[in-house]
Structure formats: structure tokens, C-alpha cells
Amino acid sequence: MTNISYDIENIRKQFPVLHQQVNNRQLVYLDNAATTQKPLSVIEALDIFYKTTNANIHRGAHYLANKATVQFEGTREKIRSFINAKETAEIIFTSGTTDSINLVAQTWGRKNITTGDEILLSMMEHHSNIVPWQMLAEEKGAVIKVIPVTESGEWQIDAIDSLLNERTKLVAVNHVSNSLGTINPIKMLIDKAHSYGAKVLIDAAQSVSHFATDVQELDCDFMCFSGHKIYGPTGTGVLYGKYDLLEAMPPWRGGGEMISSVSFEKTTYNSLPHKFEAGTPHIAGVIALSSAIDFMNEFQWDDLIDHEKNILAYATSKISHIEGLRIFGTSTEKTGVISFDVEGIHPYDIGTLLDKQGIAVRTGHHCTEPLWSYYGVTGSVRASFAIYTTTEEIDLFVDALHKSISMLR
Ligand SMILES: Cc1ncc(COP(=O)(O)O)c(C=O)c1O
């Protein structure tokens, strides 16, 4: 990565959506864990593709089809390098994290999980890393086990040893919790799981845009993330899998592109990665995802991490003394997420009043209902930060929060 200094004004210039008023106030976008905004280079890549290149990939012998194919496959190589996978064939394009997890559940899972097998999840998983495994477990008679969390929103490390055993076939956990921001010690869990012969899937939806990811160093078996949470287009996602595992997995969706030859007597399947990419993908989106990776690659991870830590510390110090305010997720290892509630006030009411003042936060269960059951609440207000969040925006947020609370008390 080249070292450019962290020039927040210049960064913000690249995000047109930030420069607008909503409800007659300057927009303060603090819903980045739901989706990040897109830099001009990504928006322009989509525009340029449709203006100059639009063609279907892999199939055509003409100029535009070849150009689109080269750009599409170029993104695969860029993603490989970004997460340090060994081979481009290990990078499967999907429509997002949810799609990637379902792919693994329906192919690797249906082939390898049988009655009595155990799948280990954690209490802080997103629904998309719970429900596909529940569906599989129901079909196969497998058992779901859950790593409990502590009050501070971290895994109960002591419980892990008693939850892993020879029946554990899969461990599926997030690297970073979308509701709490906790960065989980996944390397430790991957090594423990492997010692029992279990495979490990990492839901990296909330981690890939926050710090460097090295799938070889982690030694995870599968990793999933969404393009739209890393400054890229919606409808794009990635499944990384170790080559031998992917190779041994049956295909999932049938259709064009995923076959080698088709006859009514026998159909044979394409090689990796195409075996898992049936039909026409989001070609423009994948090509624009390449621009999102280029955008990320302009920074040093240390600069991004420092910026996020500073914003998180600043925001936390500004709101933590508010009477009746409770922060969920107080680990020292955290990305830029603050989930909170205020005694006696519904999170939705706070979110609505913040919105009236131009502040975009998320309220509700953030697709982690089991986690909120553990805390004994139905959800929280979540402010989540990104590369372009400023301390001035935090001041506006805190000011608006004070006003909202005093109106609701
Ligand atoms: C941790 C985590 N996993 C999975 C998902 C699902 O991602 P997508 O909706 O892009 O498939 C999200 C989205 O919020 C998430 O935060």
C-alpha cells in the first residue's frame, strides 16, 4: 500500500452523498455498519461500465464481452490479493455475505453434516450466520451450540473448550460483531477448532474494511464478506474457500456458466470458481468493487485504524456520562461501533428524533436478536463510523442526542 497521509477533507470530497442536507440539516451519516457510502471512483466505474463496456462475460467472442470478462476477472485477482488467498480460483463472487454463507451451508454443509454433528456459533452472530445453519441442522438432525458472551460483549473464552469436541464439524463466527463492534479472537478459535478436525467459516462482513485480512495466516476454511460494506456496490459479495474444500463441494445453483457440458443423460460441471457462479452475475458491480478495493489500497491500515480508534474514543467519552445511557459492547478490542440505549426511552424514538436533526443511525435488533435477548432488551441505537467520519460530526450527533433525550424525558 502506498502511504498517503490521512486527509479527511480530501476523503470526504470523494463521497458526494455526504454533502447534502436531510430534514434541513447537514447529513451526518452514522449507519456505516449497515452499508458504507460509495466514493466517486466506484460510482463512476458503474457508469463507465454501462456507457462503454456493457456485455455479458465469459460467453462472447466479441470485443466488449472480452473487455468485460477481463475486468470482471481482474477484480477476482484484486480480491485474492486483498485477503491474501493463495489462488484466484478460491474467490467466488456472490451477492453478499448472506449468499456466501448459504452457499457453504447448502453445499459443504449438506454434504458433510450428518445426524448428531455439531455446529458451533456464537451468541453475537448476525441472523445470516444463524438461520442457514438452523435450516441445515433441521434437515440433517445436527445440533447447534452457542458460545456465550460476557456482559462486556466478548466471547466467554472459558466456555469454548467445553463446547468443542469430536462431533464439532463446523465453527461459524463473525470476526467483528455488527451490533457491538467487538473484534473476536478468531485465530485462537480457528486453531482450537482445527485440533478437533472442524472446519471454520469466518463472517468478515464487519471486519474487511476495518483492518487487514490474511486468510492464509488465519488459516480459516471459508470467509465471507459483502461489497457494499467496503465502499463497493450493493449486490456484490465474496466467498473465499480453501481450494480443496471448494473442489470437493457439489455445486449449488444450477444454470448457465457453472457447467462444463450439458446433455439430458449427464451434465458435468465447470471448474472453480465458475462452478459456483451460475447465471449472469452483477458484472458492473463486481467491476466497480475493484475500484472500491483500489480506494482502500490507497491507505495504510494503521492510518485507518488510528482514525477509527480516535473517533470511537471521542464519541464514547462524549456520550458515556449521559444519565441513564448504557453502552453495549465495551471490549477494548472494538471497531467504530457504539450501541446504546437510554433508560426509559425506546431506541426507535431516539433514532427518529436524531433523524429529524440530520443524524442517520440505526435502531432495533440489527439482525442479532439472540444477543439482545441475552442483554434482556429488544435492541439498541447504533452509531457506526467509517473512513470519512469527523469529530465535528460526532459533536453534531452528541448535541442532537442530548436534545432528543431531553424531549423524550
Ligand atoms: C456481521 C454481519 N454478517 C452478515 C451480514 C449480512 O450481510 P449482507 O446483508 O450484505 O448479506 C451483515 C450485515 O449487516 C453483518 O453485519
Side-chain angles (χ1 to χ4, degrees):
M1 289 185 186
T2 51
N3 188 4
I4 64 162
S5 62
Y6 205 86
D7 178 354
I8 190 96
E9 279 316 311
N10 191 33
I11 291 168
R12 289 180 66 82
K13 274 191 199 140
Q14 298 178 53
F15 289 86
V17 79
L18 299 176
H19 307 285
Q20 62 177 305
Q21 299 225 324
V22 296
N23 295 325
N24 298 319
R25 302 293 182 91
Q26 173 55 44
L27 168 67
V28 174
Y29 184 78
L30 302 180
D31 194 16
N32 294 284
T35 197
T36 53
Q37 298 300 346
K38 319 304 169 200
L40 274 169
S41 58
V42 170
I43 299 165
E44 281 164 6
L46 287 165
D47 193 44
I48 289 168
F49 175 79
Y50 286 121
K51 280 184 178 155
T52 68
T53 311
N54 182 45
N56 213 330
I57 50 168
H58 297 134
R59 303 168 196 181
H62 60 85
Y63 177 85
L64 292 184
N66 287 333
K67 188 176 167 194
T69 304
V70 167
Q71 290 180 7
F72 186 90
E73 290 303 322
T75 307
R76 205 186 301 276
E77 166 52 24
K78 207 162 275 175
I79 301 281
R80 182 209 65 71
S81 162
F82 188 65
I83 61 170
N84 195 30
K86 233 189 245 167
E87 300 183 40
T88 48
E90 295 176 320
I91 307 298
I92 315 289
F93 287 120
T94 66
S95 66
T97 308
T98 306
D99 198 34
S100 302
I101 296 173
N102 277 279
L103 193 164
V104 177
Q106 292 300 312
T107 59
W108 182 88
R110 291 182 86 190
K111 188 171 176 194
N112 291 285
I113 300 285
T114 55
T115 312
D117 284 347
E118 296 181 3
I119 299 169
L120 182 60
L121 310 176
S122 91
M123 185 65 86
M124 64 173 91
E125 295 314 310
H126 190 280
H127 295 165
S128 63
N129 197 27
I130 299 176
V131 183
W133 306 119
Q134 286 178 321
M135 290 161 71
L136 178 70
E138 197 173 323
E139 180 186 323
K140 296 288 183 174
V143 179
I144 305 273
K145 294 270 176 100
V146 183
I147 303 172
V149 298
T150 62
E151 188 62 30
S152 60
E154 295 165 287
W155 291 342
Q156 273 187 35
I157 302 290
D158 307 351
I160 290 176
D161 283 325
S162 62
L163 287 164
L164 282 168
N165 60 63
E166 290 70 28
R167 290 186 301 278
T168 314
K169 288 292 170 339
L170 179 78
V171 176
V173 290
N174 62 47
H175 199 165
V176 170
S177 157
N178 61 307
S179 286
L180 305 172
T182 313
I183 303 172
N184 291 305
I186 58 165
K187 180 62 183 152
M188 171 275 290
L189 185 59
I190 291 167
D191 291 345
K192 275 185 195 280
H194 283 169
S195 73
Y196 288 96
K199 302 295 180 222
V200 183
L201 176 143
I202 300 298
D203 170 354
Q206 297 291 342
S207 57
V208 280
S209 69
H210 297 270
F211 47 79
T213 301
D214 184 331
V215 289
Q216 290 189 71
E217 192 189 317
L218 285 170
D219 197 27
C220 54
D221 300 288
F222 300 105
M223 175 170 279
C224 314
F225 64 92
S226 303
H228 72 97
K229 292 185 198 281
I230 185 167
Y231 308 102
T234 53
T236 62
V238 169
L239 167 66
Y240 157 80
K242 284 182 181 164
Y243 187 93
D244 291 347
L245 285 172
L246 293 174
E247 182 68 3
M249 279 155 52
W252 180 26
R253 296 186 176 124
E257 194 53 37
M258 53 75 74
I259 52 86
S260 173
S261 76
V262 176
S263 73
F264 283 110
E265 288 70 43
K266 183 169 174 59
T267 289
T268 55
Y269 302 118
N270 207 340
S271 54
L272 289 174
H274 311 293
K275 180 171 85 171
F276 294 111
E277 294 178 356
T280 302
H282 186 356
I283 303 168
V286 166
I287 290 170
L289 180 57
S290 179
S291 300
I293 302 295
D294 288 341
F295 172 76
M296 294 297 297
N297 282 342
E298 281 176 30
F299 298 93
Q300 292 283 354
W301 281 114
D302 284 350
D303 292 339
L304 298 183
I305 292 166
D306 279 354
H307 171 72
E308 197 171 320
K309 277 199 169 137
N310 290 340
I311 293 287
L312 177 65
Y314 184 71
T316 307
S317 72
K318 287 256 169 174
I319 69 166
S320 49
H321 65 275
I322 294 176
E323 200 195 319
L325 186 142
R326 166 168 62 155
I327 294 178
F328 300 100
T330 52
S331 171
T332 50
E333 297 297 317
K334 254 187 94 163
T335 59
V337 171
I338 303 183
S339 251
F340 63 93
D341 70 1
V342 180
E343 203 178 357
I345 305 178
H346 198 285
Y348 179 80
D349 294 336
I350 294 178
T352 305
L353 288 189
L354 286 175
D355 179 51
K356 295 263 176 293
Q357 298 167 83
I359 317 287
V361 294
R362 186 146 293 238
T363 63
H365 56 60
H366 322 302
C367 298
T368 57
E369 284 193 67
L371 178 71
W372 299 117
S373 299
Y374 160 75
Y375 281 117
V377 295
T378 54
S380 73
V381 182
R382 183 185 69 186
S384 51
F385 315 128
I387 217 162
Y388 37 67
T389 308
T390 64
T391 48
E392 291 75 26
E393 288 184 304
I394 300 300
D395 289 341
L396 290 170
F397 160 59
V398 175
D399 192 39
L401 181 59
H402 279 292
K403 285 195 186 116
S404 307
I405 293 171
S406 59
M407 285 166 83
L408 291 163
R409 275 214 169 112

